[in-house]
Amino acid sequence: MAPRRPIAWNLLLPALAWAGLLALLPWWIGLPLLLALMAVLLLRPQRLAGHAPLLRGGLRWGLAGVLLALQRAFGGDAFAWGAALLGALAGYTLLAGMEAWLDRAQRHDPAAATSAEWPELALAPIGPVAEIIELQLPVWQSTDEGLTDPLAHRVEYRSGNFQFADGSGIDGVGPHAAFSPVGRWFVARMPNDHGIVLWDREHHRRHRLRGWRLCGWHHEQPWLCRREGDMPLALPAVLGQDDED
């Protein structure tokens, strides 16, 4: 059996006192007070968003007090109770429509929506964590000055071909090349800068990409673009377009 919630007397007692006050006042005094509360809620929904629950509760309880004052003013007979019930039907229907309209406005304006659990909502993750991509610019080397391999391998260039000490190589390229920061990748420019050839030395894969240029490295991975000023793309986004492995 579910435990019963304790009665919030600190909220109930002021509400009962407010309803009792309006029940004792003439209805033609209490009704303008309720209309003023409604006008405040409708005209200042954003500035009073933090007090909206209190104002709405004041309207609900206050309407009950005004209806009691109305039936007392009409003599307290059956006709008076009938008028009070009709007033309750019309009044609470109007309040429900107003609250629905206010809630709709808050859904369309996230800045106006508030909740008692706002710290939890503010700290909750929304979507994937974004990562800032900072590219490390490539360091191009020329065979005229000799190539420095981060893995300390000997590299030679002969007749458009790069040859490494282990017998592997890249053919049909120009004399300019670059290594990734720790040496996993080797990239050489095609003649007349018509593209690049990427060599994944760790997985022994080559990618001949016409029309692409190397923009830089991120986490030891190449990022490419077509022209200077274009948005760089990671290699997986490029492969399949001009890959001639």
Side-chain angles (χ1 to χ4, degrees):
M1 184 176 180
R4 302 175 104 185
R5 293 185 179 181
I7 299 176
W9 292 105
N10 60 328
L11 299 178
L12 182 59
L13 291 179
L16 291 174
W18 169 246
L21 175 63
L22 293 185
L24 294 175
L25 290 174
W27 68 268
W28 45 267
I29 293 180
L31 183 59
L33 290 177
L34 297 184
L35 294 177
L37 287 179
M38 291 185 63
V40 168
L41 278 173
L42 293 174
L43 297 178
R44 301 278 180 162
Q46 296 181 354
R47 301 187 66 178
L48 298 175
H51 303 286
L54 180 62
L55 295 177
R56 292 185 184 188
L59 282 173
R60 298 189 199 103
W61 286 91
L63 180 57
V66 169
L67 291 173
L68 289 175
L70 180 64
Q71 69 86 26
R72 191 180 71 251
F74 283 179
D77 54 9
F79 174 78
W81 281 107
L85 291 176
L86 288 177
L89 179 61
Y92 284 107
T93 301
L94 179 62
L95 287 181
M98 181 198 71
E99 292 183 354
W101 186 86
L102 289 174
D103 292 340
R104 176 179 178 275
Q106 288 182 352
R107 286 194 295 269
H108 284 279
D109 185 5
T114 57
S115 172
E117 294 79 18
W118 67 265
E120 290 79 3
L121 294 177
L123 295 176
I126 301 176
V129 179
E131 180 183 7
I132 299 177
I133 305 298
E134 295 184 0
L135 297 182
Q136 182 176 347
L137 296 178
V139 178
W140 291 102
Q141 305 180 48
S142 174
T143 56
D144 296 337
E145 302 174 355
L147 301 183
T148 302
D149 186 353
L151 300 181
H153 292 173
R154 182 173 56 85
V155 186
E156 295 182 355
Y157 179 77
R158 297 177 182 175
S159 303
N161 302 323
F162 281 100
Q163 296 293 328
F164 290 78
D166 61 358
S168 58
I170 301 293
D171 57 358
V173 293
H176 296 89
F179 294 90
S180 61
V182 298
R184 172 182 169 178
W185 290 88
F186 174 79
V187 55
R189 294 177 179 172
M190 293 182 183
N192 300 320
D193 283 341
H194 287 167
I196 59 174
V197 178
L198 282 170
W199 177 27
D200 184 350
R201 303 167 74 182
E202 180 177 328
H203 296 97
H204 306 288
R205 296 175 181 172
R206 293 175 176 80
H207 308 284
R208 191 174 296 268
L209 304 172
R210 289 192 178 91
W212 292 91
R213 62 174 62 187
L214 178 66
C215 295
W217 310 97
H218 179 69
H219 293 332
E220 196 63 16
Q221 292 296 320
W223 284 66
L224 315 171
C225 64
R226 287 282 191 181
R227 293 172 294 276
E228 185 176 356
D230 289 353
M231 180 178 295
L233 298 175
L235 180 61
V238 173
L239 292 180
Q241 299 181 36
D242 299 301
D243 189 6
E244 295 183 2
D245 188 4

